[in-house]
Amino acid sequence: MKYKISLFLLLIFVLNSCQNEDEKRRAENAKEAKKNEIIFNNINKAWTFIDEPINEVAEQKVSSWAEWRDFLKEIGDKPRKTIGAFQKKSAAISKKALALNNNIPIEFNVPQIKSRISILITKVEMMDLFINLNTIPDKKVTFLIGEINKELISLERQMDQVVAKSKIPKEEGEEDFLKMLDTTRAIPNSNTVPVPPMQSNINKKLPTVD
């Protein structure tokens, strides 16, 4: 009889323990879901990129530079509903950003533009890294969205400056002067005194006259 009572009490204890564990698990799941909801809302609210060119030069390149056009199109397409959708979109944006190194128009294939592209790519890759962590640091992701927008503006302004500078007419005679400099660099210095070759018979005896 005592054995049955002990077994019954043990069974009740086990059932209560399981019930407590279930309640604890449900509470933790609810807490995690609430946390993920806050992260999603913060990222969703901040996810707005400058997908329209800010000046005429950048707008003109939309038609002639395919990689630039594709990048702007990618950042303009906002994901919806889940954090997973944002993660996929972030990866797609990173891929399009890397492609900006390809087929850069001749007038933009200069250090000023290439450095801006490099910085933009770095910021995009950082965003992609953070948004794919197990615990997403939403503040860092939203901060990087703002940084990417700043780099986009900086890049487009640099484009405008490069084109504006190329339109400035050279002063009269400047082009001929530059050509002359290139030519004179190729001409050896005529003031250098040539060194005569060593006489091979310097140690030979001079012929004697009988």
Side-chain angles (χ1 to χ4, degrees), residues 4-22:
K4 290 183 178 179
I5 293 173
S6 298
L7 185 61
F8 177 73
L9 292 175
L10 179 61
L11 181 61
I12 292 175
F13 175 77
V14 171
L15 290 173
N16 285 334
S17 296
C18 291
Q19 186 177 0
N20 290 336
E21 286 296 324
D22 288 342

Side-chain angles (χ1 to χ4, degrees), residues 155-169:
L155 173 58
E156 293 184 5
R157 284 177 177 169
Q158 191 66 59
M159 288 181 185
D160 197 45
Q161 289 178 19
V162 168
V163 172
K165 188 175 180 181
S166 68
K167 292 180 179 180
I168 298 175

Side-chain angles (χ1 to χ4, degrees), residues 50 52-59 61 65 68 72 107-108 110 112-117 120 146-166:
I50 301 174
E52 293 292 333
I54 64 169
N55 55 41
E56 185 179 352
V57 172
E59 186 176 4
K61 290 303 148 189
W65 186 8
W68 174 246
L72 292 181
E107 69 269 33
F108 293 154
V110 294
Q112 304 96 304
I113 296 294
K114 293 172 78 173
S115 65
R116 293 294 180 190
I117 291 174
L120 175 62
E147 288 295 297
I148 291 168
N149 281 327
K150 289 179 183 177
E151 294 305 327
L152 279 168
I153 293 172
S154 180
L155 173 58
E156 293 184 5
R157 284 177 177 169
Q158 191 66 59
M159 288 181 185
D160 197 45
Q161 289 178 19
V162 168
V163 172
K165 188 175 180 181
S166 68

Side-chain angles (χ1 to χ4, degrees), residues 12 21 24 75 80 131 141 150 160-161 173 196 200-201 205 207:
I12 292 175
E21 286 296 324
K24 184 179 179 181
I75 63 175
R80 304 288 178 185
I131 202 171
V141 173
K150 289 179 183 177
D160 197 45
Q161 289 178 19
S200 60
N201 60 350
K205 292 181 180 180

